[in-house]
Amino acid sequence: METQETFPKIISVDDHTVEPPHVWRDRLPSKYHDIGPRIVRAPLKEMTFMGGKFAPVMGEKGDDGPIGDWWVYEDLHRPLTRLDTAVGYDRDEIKLEVITYEQMRPGSYDVTARLADMDVNHVQSAVCFPTFPRFCGQTFTEAKDRELGLLGVRAYNDWMVEEWCGPQARGRLIPLTLIPLWDAELAAAEVRRNAARGVRAVAFSEIPPHLGLPSIHTDEWDPFLRACDETGTVVAMHIGSSSKMPSTSADAPPAVGSTITFANCCFSMVDWLMSGKFERFPNLRIMYAEGQIGWIPYILERADVVWEENRAWGGVADKVTRPPSELFADHVYGCFFDDAFGLRNLDSVGVGNVLYETDYPHSDSTWPKSKEVGESQMGHLAPDVVERLVRGNAIELLGLTDDGLWGPSAPAPSSPSPSPSASR
């Protein structure tokens, strides 16, 4: 195993940004300033997170309760919480509580500070999922005003590409954009608009029907999938991007859901493997952020058995013409940050189908010891395999330069081959 001095510089495919207050204020037409996303400092009345449901209630000025910064958008009141930005805190200090921008680590929302925290963590480059829009833009999908929602999506994407991943990031922050989920044609246009400026990843929902949207088994998403297929844009799905975290009961504590978060990825992956989409869109590739990888081998084994023995009555004989495990090898990427079991069974997953992540700045993050965790869990692997997991696969998938950096002039990925201080 490589020594600490030679452990590859990490390319994290799942980190997060906490959007600074000005993202939409600076980019929306003035007529939307009073109803578009904006920050309000207010007390917390009550907040629960049970059965996979997050339920905060904002108090009014003068009410008792802890003070936090809240995103207000139409009728939505969404506070910043310690779970949004937990790095740097002792595990026992990380609780479900509201916070202000001044109480969070600056690297959560400031590019210069983020790069410094990446340096501390042996991270060269990182893909960042949203916070206020939620993991695939559900916030805008649920809004009443579709015109404003579309402007909100485009404003976020412009901020992501031009500012968060702009010149001051020096190619180290890799853009991940959103789509208007309510309209596949508009979604396709947004994919193409961003692909034209070098974007190679777009966020999508792991289980769209949970959002009241068509399933991947319909043809409704075809314009969007065709745009991704033709532009080499990777479909990135984060746990919770269906706005429904796995749980067992309405009164189950968050620890239950946190243990089984991979379940949504599991369900989603089977959907995709049995959908026929990979055969219709041969350049399409998908990745599962924060889903870990240890569960994948059995699901592939079971999917192959079902396809082989039950496809005649199972509704897939006419659209899935190859074993699901082969489709997985060509089209699907699992992402992990702490999965020793999965790494011990890497051959059953596929060296070319695994990506590394650090989950900064969330409570699950391995920051600032992502290198040490990687060294510990990958100690049995050959150096060239470690190189692929930690950075090589990400470079190929996301069309980065040989040095692992993003830039609008970076080549599109090749086709798949077998095997702030707030201003208020």
Side-chain angles (χ1 to χ4, degrees), residues 79-94:
L80 300 179
T81 75
R82 177 54 61 206
L83 299 187
D84 293 327
T85 172
V87 292
Y89 282 77
D90 182 90
R91 296 289 181 180
D92 290 334
E93 295 178 341
I94 301 171

Side-chain angles (χ1 to χ4, degrees), residues 35-52:
I35 58 172
R38 59 204 182 278
I39 286 290
V40 173
R41 184 160 289 185
L44 171 70
K45 189 172 182 180
E46 60 180 281
M47 180 162 58
T48 59
F49 188 20
M50 297 293 286

Side-chain angles (χ1 to χ4, degrees), residues 84-384:
D84 293 327
T85 172
V87 292
Y89 282 77
D90 182 90
R91 296 289 181 180
D92 290 334
E93 295 178 341
I94 301 171
K95 301 175 182 178
L96 183 60
E97 59 184 357
V98 296
I99 60 172
T100 66
Y101 278 92
E102 289 80 6
Q103 293 171 304
M104 69 173 67
R105 192 170 183 87
S108 303
Y109 59 85
D110 178 79
V111 172
T112 301
R114 171 61 64 92
L115 298 184
D117 278 355
M118 289 164 61
D119 289 339
V120 168
N121 202 31
H122 200 68
V123 173
Q124 178 189 31
S125 308
V127 175
C128 295
F129 282 81
T131 297
F132 167 70
R134 310 220 295 282
F135 294 143
C136 68
Q138 303 102 296
T139 296
F140 297 110
T141 302
E142 295 168 359
K144 300 172 185 175
D145 187 330
R146 290 295 196 215
E147 179 183 359
L148 175 55
L150 180 59
L151 290 172
V153 167
R154 290 175 174 167
Y156 177 86
N157 291 341
D158 290 345
W159 170 80
M160 168 61 61
V161 175
E162 299 167 5
E163 189 172 332
W164 184 253
C165 301
Q168 63 177 336
R170 306 196 301 278
R172 297 180 61 188
L173 295 174
I174 305 162
L176 172 72
T177 51
L178 304 176
I179 55 170
L181 289 162
W182 60 89
D183 188 313
E185 293 286 357
L186 289 175
E190 191 63 12
V191 167
R192 296 183 191 282
R193 181 175 83 95
N194 291 307
R197 48 184 178 175
V199 177
R200 296 289 177 258
V202 63
F204 189 64
S205 174
E206 60 206 353
I207 309 176
H210 285 342
L211 304 178
L213 299 169
S215 82
I216 201 67
H217 300 290
T218 71
D219 294 333
E220 297 293 325
W221 294 107
D222 284 6
F224 163 67
L225 299 180
R226 186 173 298 108
C228 293
D229 177 79
E230 293 175 356
T231 61
T233 300
V234 179
V235 178
M237 292 170 282
H238 195 285
I239 56 167
S241 56
S242 58
S243 295
K244 186 176 181 180
M245 294 298 289
S247 190
T248 55
S249 63
D251 59 350
V256 172
S258 185
T259 302
I260 58 175
T261 50
F262 73 92
N264 279 2
C265 298
C266 176
F267 299 159
S268 174
M269 190 179 80
V270 176
D271 254 353
W272 281 85
L273 292 176
M274 299 299 187
S275 70
K277 298 303 182 185
F278 293 137
E279 309 215 23
R280 293 187 56 207
F281 302 105
N283 295 322
L284 191 62
R285 285 181 279 187
I286 67 175
M287 57 168 271
Y288 287 102
E290 210 169 318
Q292 313 301 339
I293 60 174
W295 54 273
I296 292 175
Y298 172 71
I299 295 301
L300 294 179
E301 178 182 291
R302 176 60 183 165
D304 279 357
V305 169
V306 170
W307 177 82
E308 185 67 42
E309 299 183 359
N310 301 332
R311 62 178 178 265
W313 65 263
V316 297
D318 61 339
K319 59 183 179 181
V320 181
T321 62
R322 297 167 56 198
S325 60
E326 290 186 12
L327 296 173
F328 173 89
D330 288 355
H331 298 275
V332 185
Y333 293 77
C335 310
F336 79 100
F337 59 81
D338 185 9
D339 191 344
F341 178 84
L343 290 168
R344 290 196 299 271
N345 295 274
L346 183 62
D347 287 345
S348 297
V349 180
V351 171
N353 297 87
V354 176
L355 306 166
Y356 197 39
E357 57 185 44
T358 78
D359 197 30
Y360 178 105
H362 284 182
S363 60
D364 261 341
S365 178
T366 51
W367 186 92
K369 298 184 179 298
S370 300
K371 180 179 74 168
E372 289 78 4
V373 170
E375 289 172 330
S376 172
Q377 296 190 353
M378 299 183 215
H380 63 293
L381 301 174
D384 63 318

